[in-house]
Amino acid sequence: ALPISQFDNVVPESWVMELGCFDPQMGRTPFSCCTLKPGLWPSYRQHRLELVTRYSDLLVTSPFVPPPCRDDHKLKVAICIAGATRTFADARVQDGLRHRFMESLGGRGLGNRQDRGDVFFYLHHAATKRNGICLTNPEREVCRYNNDASSIADEQLRAVYAAAEWFSPVRAHHSHKPPWTPETAAQYTADESCWSHLLSGSSSMYLNTLSNWDECMHMIRDYELEQEEKYDWVAVLRPDLLIAQHVRPICAYESVVHWLHDWAVLLPRSIAGEFLPAPFAMIRNGRRGDALCGNPKRLIQGEDFSFWLRMKGDVAEGKLGYPWYDHAFHGTPLRPPR
């Protein structure tokens, strides 16, 4: 295990002494101890961003050196970066996606790619004009940030394309399609009244997010068919995710769903085939009488669709549909300034 003394000058000693969970072999550094301790991980977006920025500056090298297992590059990994490109080209975001996630995770791709996993892109260059939650809850903290830009300028777009090209993706889709609105969502879903109790008042915000997962899985399946082999692991991340801590090598992850809000997820391929497309299908096809339709006790915000998948087993007997680890990664989206 990495000696605690390496972090003596960069984290409060109380975090190490009081939390009692410091274990780099399990992915628990003082930073992750903070996220796991109830009450210490700030819910206020700006404070969370300050914390992530601070520790991304401090944790410049991986805490998993030497690694807890030997990555022999036999495990095949698909990494899909999907969503609105907002701050994707920001140097801090790029450093996190490239080095703290992709390179630290390791593994290999399909075919001849043996040094790291394969990268897929499904990028939107027309961001949501206004966070959907702000339509019905304008006082929420997220509404204080810049949600007004409907597209990115040509100079920004060139930077996004250049940043994406660095990853040498096996598949890349760039979309300028307008995001779903409550009006267009009502024309797309089977019964839009099912989702009027969501925080945004409609399904539009969640269609924008969860369709990315669905598209990622489609691209991954198509590439698997082309290569005539399957991945072992699948990861999906937001393009604007600022990552504070290097991830573990892929050989160190248990075969469960590793989750950070709905910003990043790493899961076995055997689970991904249902887990990633299912939430989008639930919204699109949900009708009165379905378990989630009009059910505020089970469903309030987008990630609850995935939580429901987690609980899909026999809840009465304590059996979960999917084993699940929260706070598996440490980061937060980097929003554009006003």
Side-chain angles (χ1 to χ4, degrees):
L2 197 66
I4 293 177
S5 59
Q6 177 168 334
F7 290 96
D8 282 350
N9 296 324
V10 296
V11 296
E13 183 180 357
S14 60
W15 282 14
V16 178
M17 301 303 293
E18 294 177 9
L19 299 182
C21 75
F22 183 85
D23 183 358
Q25 298 293 324
M26 294 297 293
R28 296 172 183 160
T29 66
F31 176 79
S32 53
C33 284
C34 172
T35 69
L36 294 168
K37 179 80 170 179
L40 288 183
W41 182 234
S43 58
Y44 177 50
R45 182 185 297 266
Q46 186 60 28
H47 291 169
R48 188 170 63 235
L49 179 59
E50 290 170 359
L51 184 66
V52 168
T53 301
R54 177 187 176 199
Y55 280 90
S56 65
D57 291 340
L58 293 174
L59 298 172
V60 293
T61 59
S62 173
F64 310 115
V65 178
C69 59
R70 180 175 175 270
D71 180 12
D72 54 11
H73 296 281
K74 290 183 178 179
L75 292 172
K76 292 165 284 193
V77 182
I79 302 170
C80 189
I81 300 173
T85 49
R86 296 186 183 95
T87 57
F88 170 67
D90 185 282
R92 294 167 294 174
V93 172
Q94 284 292 302
D95 176 69
L97 294 174
R98 296 176 183 184
H99 307 302
R100 297 169 190 262
F101 194 91
M102 182 185 70
E103 292 178 357
S104 293
L105 194 65
R108 60 163 296 164
L110 303 185
N112 296 325
R113 174 114 247 170
Q114 298 184 24
D115 57 331
R116 59 169 173 82
D118 288 327
V119 175
F120 298 77
F121 281 115
Y122 190 77
L123 300 177
H124 296 275
H125 305 307
T128 308
K129 285 188 175 181
R130 186 79 170 153
N131 190 299
I133 290 177
C134 303
L135 297 174
T136 53
N137 299 270
E139 76 286 350
R140 288 178 66 91
E141 184 265 331
V142 69
C143 303
R144 303 176 190 176
Y145 286 80
N146 183 3
N147 297 301
D148 299 326
S150 59
S151 61
I152 58 178
D154 289 344
E155 182 178 350
Q156 292 175 288
L157 189 59
R158 287 193 292 270
V160 166
Y161 272 88
E165 191 63 27
W166 184 93
F167 290 85
S168 299
V170 297
R171 291 285 187 276
H173 179 82
H174 294 264
S175 172
H176 294 268
K177 177 184 175 182
W180 268 291
T181 65
E183 293 73 26
T184 57
Q187 299 171 16
Y188 185 77
T189 56
D191 186 352
E192 183 62 16
S193 67
C194 283
W195 319 119
S196 59
H197 64 283
L198 295 175
L199 283 177
S200 63
S202 84
S203 66
S204 57
M205 183 170 68
Y206 309 108
L207 286 172
N208 286 319
T209 299
L210 300 175
S211 63
N212 297 328
W213 294 9
D214 183 67
E215 293 291 349
C216 279
M217 201 61 233
H218 278 298
M219 288 195 295
I220 290 168
R221 281 182 175 138
D222 287 347
Y223 191 64
E224 288 176 330
L225 288 172
E226 179 183 307
Q227 296 294 317
E228 298 183 336
E229 57 180 327
K230 282 191 173 185
Y231 292 101
D232 300 298
W233 287 88
V234 173
V236 180
L237 300 91
R238 284 177 57 142
D240 59 353
L241 183 63
L242 181 62
I243 301 173
Q245 178 182 302
H246 292 74
V247 301
R248 287 175 278 168
I250 190 61
C251 54
Y253 283 95
E254 297 180 54
S255 293
V256 301
V257 177
H258 302 272
W259 176 265
L260 174 63
H261 195 55
D262 54 2
W263 307 330
V265 60
L266 172 70
L267 67 169
R269 172 63 177 86
S270 58
I271 297 176
E274 178 187 17
F275 186 93
L276 293 176
F280 182 68
M282 289 179 199
I283 297 180
R284 183 176 185 181
N285 302 320
R287 297 178 182 275
R288 288 291 164 184
D290 293 349
L292 295 182
C293 179
N295 191 335
K297 292 183 178 180
R298 293 190 178 185
L299 190 65
I300 298 177
Q301 52 190 344
E303 64 205 61
D304 294 342
F305 286 96
S306 298
F307 290 159
W308 184 82
L309 282 175
R310 175 187 181 184
M311 300 297 294
K312 219 178 65 167
D314 190 338
V315 179
E317 296 183 7
K319 297 178 181 178
L320 300 182
Y322 298 114
W324 189 288
Y325 286 163
D326 286 318
H327 298 301
F329 314 107
H330 307 297
T332 193
L334 180 63
R335 286 273 181 177
R338 280 196 179 278

